[in-house]
Amino acid sequence: LIVAGVNTRTDWMTGGAISSHLAGSYLGLGLILLYVGRRYYANALKAALTFRRQEGVESYAAWALRVFLLCAAGMVLWLVFRTSLPWPFAVLVVLSLFLMFLVMSRMIAETGLIYMQPSWQPLAVLIGLFGWEALGPQVVIVAGLICAVLTIDPREALMPFVANALKLGENTQVRPGRLGWVMAIVFLVGLAVAVPVVLGSNYARGYPLMDYWANNNVPRFTYNAVSNQMDQLRNAGLLEQSMSYTTWQRVQAAWPLQAEQKSFLVWGGLGLLLVLVA
């Protein structure tokens, strides 16, 4: 591709050809999972929303889906009201997070992979769909910080561990519902202990600086992206206009398509198509 003159440059945070290709392939796998389990998921959704038993849906599955829907809605509302992220972007960020960890979990559980790295970020998806002008600096910095915390390096993601643990419990005839509650309690207790201990030890004893990636690269990614975006918009005379857009104006500003959007759609569409065809 490089010899043929194709631009394959990819930034770890803001995306590019390979990142877009991977995001498209994840979308393809996510659509396949939804299609294969469509009847069960539809019945589970009915059970969760109507509080009536549905064929083939266990009560713990309905409760798990209710908790998931509440948490997803809560995260969207938090992003909208606490960070002022416009609701279309908040919804897309949450859906991107769910897609990433769902596909990771399914692939790890079914293939036995020990190490896996998605290598695409929700921020890159936003940039590819809407472009720099439509997003504005505030959207980029909020979405970028979310990526820096949750998806920048998910080689030890929680959801694949949970999926494997539930399968181990099933193999030893422990009901997923019972095991799920125990795991939730253990997680909350561990979080309550780990957060103050880690923060306290870091402030009291200092933070280990051996990991150059985590200490030097990751903290700069979001701010480098915002700086690059502001420079581009300032040079085009669009910075102040972009910062003043309303939510609807941001959606409208995504048209006509810019170069980064066209590249995202081409490479992402190629990844989606190859997975669906394969």
Side-chain angles (χ1 to χ4, degrees):
L1 289 174
I2 294 173
V3 172
V6 178
N7 182 8
T8 59
R9 185 196 65 82
T10 291
D11 181 86
W12 194 263
M13 179 65 80
T14 59
I18 304 303
S19 170
S20 301
H21 187 74
L22 290 169
S25 67
Y26 267 64
L27 177 59
L29 285 169
L31 292 175
I32 290 173
L33 294 179
L34 290 177
Y35 178 77
V36 171
R38 62 192 182 282
R39 290 188 177 87
Y40 177 78
Y41 297 144
N43 288 338
L45 186 60
K46 291 178 184 177
L49 297 179
T50 64
F51 287 84
R52 295 179 181 177
R53 290 190 62 85
Q54 300 291 326
E55 182 181 358
V57 179
E58 302 82 355
S59 60
Y60 61 77
W63 277 107
L65 183 53
R66 291 182 193 116
V67 172
F68 166 73
L69 292 175
L70 287 174
C71 290
M75 186 169 184
V76 170
L77 292 173
W78 180 81
L79 290 173
V80 172
F81 292 105
R82 294 294 294 174
T83 69
S84 299
L85 192 67
W87 70 265
F89 304 136
V91 171
L92 281 173
V93 167
V94 172
L95 288 177
S96 297
L97 293 173
F98 176 57
L99 174 66
M100 177 181 292
F101 292 119
L102 172 66
V103 173
M104 280 184 66
S105 301
R106 187 65 177 257
M107 290 180 68
I108 289 173
E110 290 195 5
T111 66
L113 281 174
I114 297 175
Y115 181 91
M116 182 178 177
Q117 195 70 282
S119 299
W120 63 273
Q121 304 299 324
L123 173 58
V125 174
L126 291 182
I127 295 171
L129 290 176
F130 294 94
W132 289 113
E133 180 187 351
L135 296 182
Q138 182 173 348
V139 173
V140 172
I141 200 167
V142 171
L145 289 175
I146 292 172
C147 294
V149 173
L150 297 178
T151 64
I152 200 68
D153 195 11
R155 55 188 171 184
E156 292 183 357
L158 180 62
M159 193 168 166
F161 290 136
V162 171
N164 280 303
L166 289 174
K167 180 59 179 176
L168 289 173
E170 183 181 64
N171 291 343
T172 54
Q173 298 182 344
V174 178
R175 286 176 56 82
R178 178 176 299 177
L179 182 58
W181 281 112
V182 173
M183 292 168 65
I185 293 171
V186 170
F187 173 75
L188 292 174
V189 172
L191 198 63
V193 173
V195 170
V197 168
V198 171
L199 290 178
S201 63
N202 286 345
Y203 278 103
R205 304 294 181 182
Y207 181 77
L209 301 176
M210 292 84 73
D211 190 343
Y212 187 86
W213 162 262
N215 291 295
N216 294 274
N217 294 338
V218 172
R220 299 176 181 176
F221 283 154
T222 299
Y223 302 102
N224 287 342
V226 174
S227 176
N228 179 46
Q229 175 200 31
M230 294 181 70
D231 287 342
Q232 289 188 38
L233 294 177
R234 187 180 293 109
N235 292 336
L238 298 172
L239 180 57
E240 293 185 3
Q241 178 178 308
S242 175
M243 295 177 69
S244 65
Y245 279 155
T246 63
T247 298
W248 179 239
Q249 287 174 328
R250 294 193 183 283
V251 175
Q252 288 181 311
W255 304 92
L257 298 178
Q258 303 301 311
E260 64 269 15
Q261 294 169 271
K262 294 177 182 178
S263 175
F264 174 80
L265 293 176
V266 169
W267 285 96
L270 183 60
L272 171 64
L273 180 63
L274 289 174
V275 168
L276 294 179
V277 170

